[in-house]
Structure formats: structure tokens, C-alpha cells
Amino acid sequence: MPSRKFADGEVVMGRWPGSVLYYEVQVTSYDDVAHLYTVKYKDGTELALKESDIRSQSAFKHRKSQSSSSSPSRRSSSRSRSRSRSPGRPARGRRRSASQSREHKDDKKKTIQETSLALPKPSENNTKRYNGEPESTEKNDTSCIILEQKLKPDLEIKRVLEQYSLRSRKDDKKEEIYSEKKTLVAVKPIEKVPTKTKELEFGGRIGTFMLIFLLPATVFYLLLMCKQDDPSLLNFPPLPALESLWDGRVFGVFLLWFFLQAVFYLLPIGKVVEGLPLSSGRKLQYRINGFYAFILTAAAIGVLLYFQFELHYLYDHFMQFAVSAAAFSLALSIYLYVRSLKAPEEELAPGGNSGYFIYDFFTGHELNPRIGSFDLKYFCELRPGLIGWVVINLAMLLAEMKIHNLSVPSLSMILVNSFQLLYVVDALWNEEAILTTMDITHDGFGFMLAFGDLVWVPFVYSLQAFYLVGHPITITWPVAAAITVLNCIGYYIFRSANSQKNNFRRNPADPKLANLKFIPTATGKGLLVTGWWGFVRHPNYLGDIIMALAWSLPCGFNHILPYFYVIYFICLLVHREARDEHH
């Protein structure tokens, strides 16, 4: 068994995981089995490091970056570059000896690169604030590293300057830095320019091609099954006549709904926040007013009901509305792909730039397509489909009362409407949190998200309410209470876990989060390993699945159809978890 090299309490230099930077740490303990040292940084962060990642302080030389620095670019008070002195340049009035001259020539031949490292604190992100909200910490730059080139031929200097876009350190604060005795060549992170997508998801070109047809077919199949008296899997529904699937008036109502939500989105109400930095360093602005749009929509629906507008019209033409939404999402996807062909390279989605038409069309070629300040992806993510889901549920509740001559809705229908209303209101109230999700930061806006937001969410997620209209289920109050408790448990886990995650992403240095521990990664992101995230890898997904089960239980156990949402959601979140782990 190898003997340990560093003793408990010894102050050494520890390498920050995923980088070449060393910080002063103190050894707190040693694991004889795993051969790992537990070290503590000055800010209190504790990590387990290998012995190879630890150096004694004697292996480092100590210097200060101050105004008397020998580097011209680091003299904060010097106005004339000719007055600065580099190590290879003699002081004025001093003659250079022959040995000094030879040493200078040898240094020139070796072309040594000296690096100046501005070290950040290990667990802090240097974020700016906008509208009183801290900026998201989903930033991949782990440090601000500046290359200072010395004693290089003119052509080499020009090449390095062009490659790394060097900047002056005149405004840098005086601070002590450590550099290892051996030569380390560190460069400033280059702005990311999207490259071709090499790893294809969803089955690649063949898989995405099939999904373009499979997803609409699944939606229509589920809706046709719900209309049958016996919606068992073996009882395949008869196909309706094609002319019965399209109604111009229905399509007009859908367009009216879509553009009404667009008008609500453009209203100058709600705060404006910045999203995560793009590959170009630019940050897009988003207006957070989804909850206000929901209130305005509720008021509009209330006015329609007051004037005795029959909202169950949605139930009577449900399939036609689904076809209209699918046709609109397809047209929108074509428009998005065509406009993406003229988009700058840095605005393309990292996961939708494969060069294959079908794959990029499905996953989305452009990351944030906008018409002026109108962000198409962000708008569709929460507005028409999510709010439409609640309106559809209400229409199903009214249709149930009319068809079955009920003075009040059934208890099952009330539970389904209440649970899903809570879910939608929560999403709109916490609208800002969506800016750090994979849909916004990674996935482009193509057929996958357009169809998912405008068709899949409102017409599949409302499947339980649609099912209950034609297949009423009577449940007792104790059963209803038990289902309610289950939904509350799922919601509590879902909201608590998401709040921890979003608060940590926004400001990991928040004193309220001091009890949370995280694992640093080479990308600069931190993975929480305490709180809810210490019990299970993705507690927010667990809460989602528990709620999905509670939404289906009021439909009874006569058929598996209302449980499609739970089965699909488990498959979706398992796949999403795999994508999260990969990234």
C-alpha cells in the first residue's frame, strides 16, 4: 500500500478539477481505500483529490501582479509603452553583459510563453445582475485566463494575437497568484462557434424521419380511441373520412387563439430578464408575463361564458382542432427551417446543425428564431399550448355536464382539472426558470418542439379529461382524498427540487444555499449532491411522475388508455435524464 505524501492540516496547492489551475488548500483527511485526499479551499469548498492533483507549495513560485510588473501590458499607470521594461530588455543606461546577451538569445529560440492567470474563487460565479435578479450561472467559462506573449518573432505574435484575441490587464486588481515552476501554456477560452452536430439523437436521420409521421399518428389514434365506447388497445377505431377532419372555421378559431396569445405576449407588462449567454457572448432579453397572459385569458373565457358561448364546441370538434394545430405546426416548422438557412453560424442550435435536412428539420436548426423582439420558441413553449391545455380541460368539464345532464361536474373531472390547473399555474408563475432548461439553451426550434408545444401538450395532456367525458368514473371521497395527497406529495417534491436547482443556477454563492454541496465539472457547471439532489439523481422528474400518476387515477382501472400519459412521461423523462447525463 503506498504511503501518503501529505499530512492532515498541511497547506498545499490543489488543482481545480477540469482545469490547470492550482489553489491553496488544506488537507483535512485521507481515504486509505480510495487513496483520495479531502481538501478544503479558502471559501469552504471541500473536494476529494488524487495525490497527482496536489503539489507542495515549494513547487510553486510566488509573485504579485502589481503596477511595477515587468510586462508592458500590466502597467496600470504607464502611458507610454516605450517606458515599460520586459525581462529581456536592459534598463536604460545599463550595459548588457555577454552572458546576458547569450541567455537572451537562447530564450528567444525557445520562445517561452508566460501565462498570467486571474484566478476566480472556486465556488463563485462572477455574474452581473439584471432587474434585481442574478444572472444564470449556466456558464461554461471556468476562469478568465489571459495569455501574455513575450520574446516571440513578429509573425508568431501576430498569429497568437489573432487566435486568442488578447486584452490588456490594465484594469485588473492587484492580487497574489501562483504559477507552477514548470511551463504551463494556458489560453483564454475562445468563443464557441457551433460546429457540425456529430452525435445524432432520436435514432438519427431514420428515427427523426419516422417520428415526423409517428407523432401525429399517435395523437390522432389516442383521440379516436377515446371516442369509442370500448377504448381497449385491441379494438382499433375506424378511420374517419378525410373531409371530416378539416373545417375552415375550426382552423380560423385556432389562428385566432394563437394570435390572441401573441398579443398578450407583446403587452409591455411584466419584468424583462436576460437569458444565458449565447456562443457569441450576447444575451437575449425575455419579457416574463406568462401569468398575466393566463389572467387575461381567464377573463376572456369568463366573458364568453357570460354571453352564453358554448365552450363545449371544443369537444364537438376536438379532432378537427387537433388536425388544425398539426397543420399549423408543420407550416411553422417549414418556415423555421427555411429562415434558419440564412441565420448566422453562431445562432444555430448545437444539437441541430448536422447538415442532414430531415434531422435538422426535426430537432431545429436555429436556436432562438426571432421576429424582431418576438421570440418564437419561447412564446410557443408556454403560451398557446400550455394555457390551451387548461381551456380544453374546462371545455371537457362543461361537455360532461351537458352530455350527462349533471348540475355539477363529477368528482373525477374536478380532480383532473384541479391537479392540471395547479401544474400550469405553477409553470407560468415560475416562467423565468424555463430560461435555463434544455429546451431553451440547447434544442433548436424545429418540428419536435413546434409540434410538441402546439399539438402534443394541449391534446395529449388533456387525455384524462377527454376520456372522462365519454367514460364517466365514480369515485368516493376517501379515494379522492388519497389521490389528492399523492398529487400534493408529487408537487411538493417537484417544486422543492426545481427551486433548489434554479436558485443554485442563479446564484450558487447565495448564503441561503450554504448547506448545499456540489461536484464541479470540467465545463464549469456544478452538480448538486445534497438536498433533494442527494436523495435521487433527478428529484424533479420523480415529482413529475408521481403527479402524472395522480392525474390518471381518477379515471379508474377499466382501460389503460388514460394511463398513456404516465407511461409516455416515464419514457420521456428517462430519455431526458440520459440526455442530461450526456451533456
Side-chain angles (χ1 to χ4, degrees):
M1 179 181 295
S3 59
R4 60 182 294 182
K5 185 176 179 181
F6 305 101
D8 291 350
E10 184 176 353
V11 178
V12 294
M13 304 300 297
R15 185 173 70 85
W16 186 251
S19 71
V20 296
L21 308 181
Y22 283 77
Y23 299 86
E24 185 177 289
V25 299
Q26 184 178 27
V27 178
T28 58
S29 63
Y30 178 73
D31 189 340
D32 295 324
V33 179
H35 306 301
L36 294 175
Y37 289 88
T38 299
V39 299
K40 187 174 184 179
Y41 291 80
K42 287 185 176 181
D43 70 334
T45 302
E46 292 189 358
L47 295 176
L49 300 179
K50 298 179 181 178
E51 190 170 276
S52 59
D53 293 331
I54 302 176
R55 300 282 189 275
S56 62
Q57 286 189 314
S58 61
F60 288 77
K61 59 183 179 180
H62 180 263
R63 66 184 181 183
K64 293 185 178 181
S65 59
Q66 52 192 6
S67 60
S68 60
S69 169
S70 59
S71 172
S73 63
R74 295 174 64 183
R75 293 175 57 90
S76 60
S77 60
S78 176
R79 292 188 179 182
S80 173
R81 187 178 181 86
S82 62
R83 294 180 181 270
S84 63
R85 291 289 171 267
S86 65
R89 184 175 176 181
R92 183 171 298 176
R94 183 186 304 172
R95 294 181 59 85
R96 186 187 306 173
S97 66
S99 62
Q100 287 176 328
S101 179
R102 284 194 299 271
E103 290 175 0
H104 174 59
K105 291 179 180 179
D106 291 340
D107 289 343
K108 229 174 183 181
K109 290 179 181 178
K110 293 179 181 178
T111 63
I112 300 176
Q113 293 179 337
E114 182 178 328
T115 59
S116 297
L117 307 179
L119 304 183
K121 295 181 180 179
S123 67
E124 292 183 1
N125 285 320
N126 300 323
T127 57
K128 297 181 179 179
R129 294 176 182 269
Y130 189 87
N131 281 347
E133 293 290 335
E135 175 191 321
S136 172
T137 59
E138 286 277 335
K139 189 172 182 179
N140 290 338
D141 293 346
T142 58
S143 62
C144 182
I145 304 177
I146 302 152
L147 178 66
E148 198 174 276
Q149 182 72 21
K150 296 182 179 182
L151 307 177
K152 292 285 284 182
D154 293 341
L155 292 178
E156 187 68 355
I157 291 176
K158 182 178 180 181
R159 182 188 68 81
V160 176
L161 289 174
E162 291 177 351
Q163 182 176 0
Y164 299 119
S165 301
L166 304 185
R167 66 172 177 83
S168 172
R169 287 177 52 91
K170 289 184 179 181
D171 298 329
D172 285 358
K173 296 180 179 179
K174 297 178 182 180
E175 60 178 351
E176 293 186 353
I177 60 176
Y178 295 89
S179 61
E180 199 172 356
K181 283 183 178 179
K182 64 181 182 180
T183 303
L184 294 177
V185 180
V187 297
K188 180 180 179 180
I190 305 172
E191 289 182 352
K192 290 187 176 181
V193 177
T195 56
K196 292 294 182 181
T197 305
K198 296 180 180 179
E199 297 183 4
L200 305 185
E201 300 177 296
F202 308 105
R205 288 177 288 176
I206 297 177
T208 52
F209 177 78
M210 295 178 63
L211 284 172
I212 292 175
F213 298 95
L214 181 62
L215 291 177
T218 302
V219 174
F220 301 148
Y221 170 77
L222 292 173
L223 300 185
L224 289 174
M225 289 288 290
C226 277
K227 277 285 190 177
Q228 293 195 120
D229 294 333
D230 179 20
S232 60
L233 295 179
L234 299 179
N235 187 18
F236 194 84
L239 296 178
L242 292 179
E243 58 271 14
S244 66
L245 297 177
W246 181 260
D247 188 317
R249 182 183 177 186
V250 169
F251 185 69
V253 173
F254 176 83
L255 291 180
L256 178 63
W257 166 258
F258 184 88
F259 290 111
L260 176 65
Q261 293 302 316
V263 170
F264 291 160
Y265 173 80
L266 293 173
L267 292 177
I269 55 177
K271 64 180 179 179
V272 176
V273 302
E274 287 184 334
L276 297 181
L278 304 176
S279 59
S280 61
R282 188 166 61 100
K283 297 177 184 177
L284 299 177
Q285 294 186 345
Y286 299 87
R287 183 172 293 279
I288 307 300
N289 61 3
F291 187 77
Y292 296 106
F294 178 79
I295 297 298
L296 292 174
T297 302
I301 296 297
V303 170
L304 291 177
L305 294 178
Y306 177 79
F307 287 102
Q308 298 183 346
F309 178 82
E310 295 184 348
L311 199 60
H312 62 79
Y313 175 84
L314 282 171
Y315 173 78
D316 297 335
H317 300 83
F318 200 48
M319 178 64 75
Q320 294 170 332
F321 272 106
V323 172
S324 297
F328 183 84
S329 66
L330 177 61
L332 177 61
S333 303
I334 295 173
Y335 163 76
L336 292 169
Y337 183 79
V338 171
R339 64 163 282 157
S340 70
L341 299 178
K342 298 181 180 180
E345 189 73 16
E346 65 271 12
E347 295 183 5
L348 300 182
N353 192 22
S354 67
Y356 300 121
F357 162 70
I358 291 296
Y359 186 83
D360 294 344
F361 173 80
F362 179 82
T363 58
H365 195 39
E366 188 176 359
L367 183 61
N368 299 291
R370 288 191 164 201
I371 302 176
S373 62
F374 191 93
D375 193 296
L376 292 169
K377 180 171 70 171
Y378 180 70
F379 165 72
C380 291
E381 192 76 15
L382 288 179
R383 311 305 178 93
L386 206 66
I387 299 178
W389 174 14
V390 174
V391 175
I392 290 174
N393 277 354
L394 177 60
M396 299 303 166
L397 182 147
L398 297 176
E400 179 196 50
M401 294 176 61
K402 178 181 180 181
I403 293 174
H404 299 287
N405 296 318
L406 301 176
S407 57
V408 293
S410 66
L411 188 55
S412 298
M413 183 67 78
I414 292 176
L415 290 180
V416 169
N417 269 259
S418 301
F419 295 162
Q420 296 181 353
L421 175 64
L422 172 65
Y423 187 82
V424 172
V425 171
D426 175 87
L428 296 172
W429 183 261
N430 298 280
E431 180 182 5
E432 189 176 348
I434 198 177
L435 297 178
T436 61
T437 61
M438 184 181 292
D439 288 354
I440 299 295
T441 62
H442 179 269
D443 294 337
F445 193 32
F447 181 83
M448 177 179 70
L449 287 183
F451 184 87
D453 294 339
L454 301 178
V455 184
W456 192 270
V457 169
F459 294 96
V460 173
Y461 286 18
S462 60
L463 194 64
Q464 290 92 346
F466 187 41
Y467 173 86
L468 287 173
V469 175
H471 309 85
I473 299 294
T474 302
I475 59 175
T476 61
W477 283 100
V479 172
I483 296 175
T484 302
V485 170
L486 180 65
N487 185 78
C488 291
I489 293 173
Y491 175 75
Y492 176 73
I493 296 174
F494 168 80
R495 177 42 46 209
S496 300
N498 271 324
S499 295
Q500 280 185 351
K501 177 189 68 174
N502 294 328
N503 292 336
F504 177 77
R505 284 178 173 179
R506 288 289 174 185
N507 184 16
D510 189 343
K512 297 179 181 179
L513 307 177
N515 61 320
L516 297 180
K517 295 182 180 180
F518 66 94
I519 300 174
T521 67
T523 62
K525 301 176 183 179
L527 299 179
L528 286 172
V529 293
T530 54
W532 281 108
W533 304 85
F535 292 104
V536 64
R537 182 67 60 86
H538 289 281
N540 52 339
Y541 294 172
L542 174 63
D544 248 330
I545 293 173
I546 293 175
M547 285 190 293
L549 177 62
W551 300 351
S552 301
L553 288 175
C555 299
F557 301 98
N558 294 333
H559 300 285
I560 197 174
L561 185 63
Y563 291 86
F564 170 83
Y565 177 79
V566 185
I567 299 171
Y568 148 76
F569 215 56
I570 292 175
C571 296
L572 171 71
L573 295 183
V574 168
H575 179 259
R576 175 61 66 90
E577 188 273 342
R579 297 183 72 196
D580 289 343
E581 294 302 315
H582 177 73
H583 288 297

